[in-house]
Amino acid sequence: MLELAILGLLQEAPMHGYELRKELTAKLGAIRAAISYGSLYPTLRRLQAAGWITEADETPATAEEVPALTSRRGRVVYEITAEGKERFAQLIAQTGPETYGDTGFGVHFAFFSRTDRATRLRILEGRRRTIEERREGLRDMLGRAAERLDAYTLELQRHGLEACEREVRWLEELIANERSGRAPTVPNDGTAGGPREDNSPPPPGETRTERP
């Protein structure tokens, strides 16, 4: 998934490692804990060895752009190759189970604007099935084991169930939009998902501000 994200970002513009890490964190906030220099640079070296990215000229590094305890050497700028663009096209078209899990879905969803509608729909439907199965598992567990759980564990499981129910509703809205050919709406305040009724929970990661 990091491979897909890096190739997707480098299609927008050449970047050095620090810029890539910032863009990855901004675009894939849900998995930002997994994006470290320890995982980023080995992936960059592997992509370079495969011929999917190449190094451009180095540019001077500023103090703000150098991580603590590292040297202020020139920054290596990476750019995608023609073969890398082909590889990205292959990855973005995948719709297997790896695209339905939390990380895989998040990365693919971040690049939905470059994905054809049929592929988007398959991924959304697969994600919905995955979350519905997770929801039913939580319901079953709460039904059988609620009396044996302490109050905090029970509250955590209920929170997980509510999150699943919220995401299923969000996915159903996205699927309906895809089937009708509509893109998700973005209101003037820049928040995702468009206007919502007070009794309609926002997608995962959003909070709702009460309107007068």
Side-chain angles (χ1 to χ4, degrees), residues 7 19 28 32 49 74 79 123 149 159 163 166 186 193 197:
L7 292 175
E19 288 174 323
L28 311 173
R32 60 185 177 272
E79 53 188 13
I123 292 174
L149 299 176
H159 174 72
R166 195 161 54 237
V186 179
E197 297 297 329

Side-chain angles (χ1 to χ4, degrees), residues 77-142:
V77 176
Y78 300 93
E79 53 188 13
I80 194 168
T81 64
E83 293 80 5
K85 292 179 181 179
E86 292 177 1
R87 176 60 176 167
F88 176 78
Q90 293 171 354
L91 292 173
I92 204 69
Q94 292 179 353
T95 60
E98 68 277 5
T99 67
Y100 308 152
D102 294 343
T103 299
F105 176 75
V107 174
H108 276 266
F109 192 83
F111 293 99
F112 259 21
S113 62
R114 304 188 207 172
T115 309
D116 64 83
R117 187 169 68 171
T119 299
R120 292 196 301 264
L121 194 54
R122 285 195 294 270
I123 292 174
L124 289 170
E125 289 173 339
R127 174 65 175 179
R128 182 177 61 181
R129 289 193 299 272
T130 298
I131 300 303
E132 285 174 339
E133 291 171 2
R134 186 182 300 174
R135 179 190 63 188
E136 295 311 308
L138 284 168
R139 283 177 176 171
D140 182 63
M141 188 276 295
L142 284 169

Side-chain angles (χ1 to χ4, degrees), residues 1-211:
M1 289 301 132
L2 188 54
E3 175 184 316
L4 168 63
I6 290 171
L7 292 175
L9 287 174
L10 289 180
Q11 287 209 78
E12 298 175 0
M15 299 182 193
H16 57 76
Y18 182 78
E19 288 174 323
L20 273 169
R21 187 168 184 254
K22 285 199 303 182
E23 290 299 317
L24 287 165
T25 302
K27 201 171 187 72
L28 311 173
I31 62 165
R32 60 185 177 272
I35 300 171
S36 66
Y37 288 102
S39 59
L40 176 60
Y41 284 101
T43 304
L44 287 170
R45 288 193 293 270
R46 182 168 54 80
L47 296 177
Q48 191 173 3
W52 296 330
I53 65 173
T54 187
E55 292 183 6
D57 295 332
E58 292 189 357
T59 59
T62 65
E64 293 79 12
E65 294 174 328
V66 178
L69 305 180
T70 61
S71 62
R72 280 189 66 180
R73 58 185 177 85
R75 301 168 300 179
V76 176
V77 176
Y78 300 93
E79 53 188 13
I80 194 168
T81 64
E83 293 80 5
K85 292 179 181 179
E86 292 177 1
R87 176 60 176 167
F88 176 78
Q90 293 171 354
L91 292 173
I92 204 69
Q94 292 179 353
T95 60
E98 68 277 5
T99 67
Y100 308 152
D102 294 343
T103 299
F105 176 75
V107 174
H108 276 266
F109 192 83
F111 293 99
F112 259 21
S113 62
R114 304 188 207 172
T115 309
D116 64 83
R117 187 169 68 171
T119 299
R120 292 196 301 264
L121 194 54
R122 285 195 294 270
I123 292 174
L124 289 170
E125 289 173 339
R127 174 65 175 179
R128 182 177 61 181
R129 289 193 299 272
T130 298
I131 300 303
E132 285 174 339
E133 291 171 2
R134 186 182 300 174
R135 179 190 63 188
E136 295 311 308
L138 284 168
R139 283 177 176 171
D140 182 63
M141 188 276 295
L142 284 169
R144 290 184 294 104
E147 294 180 357
R148 300 196 302 271
L149 299 176
D150 65 77
Y152 293 100
T153 303
L154 184 61
E155 188 62 26
L156 181 62
Q157 299 304 319
R158 286 175 175 165
H159 174 72
L161 178 58
E162 290 171 0
C164 288
E165 292 172 339
R166 195 161 54 237
E167 184 168 356
V168 167
R169 290 192 292 270
W170 176 63
L171 289 165
E172 287 175 343
E173 179 182 337
L174 290 171
I175 289 168
N177 285 342
E178 290 293 338
R179 287 175 174 164
S180 62
R182 298 193 309 269
T185 57
V186 179
N188 292 334
D189 63 3
T191 57
R196 301 174 184 275
E197 297 297 329
D198 286 347
N199 61 351
S200 175
E206 289 189 20
T207 56
R208 182 173 59 236
T209 301
E210 295 297 331
R211 294 189 297 272

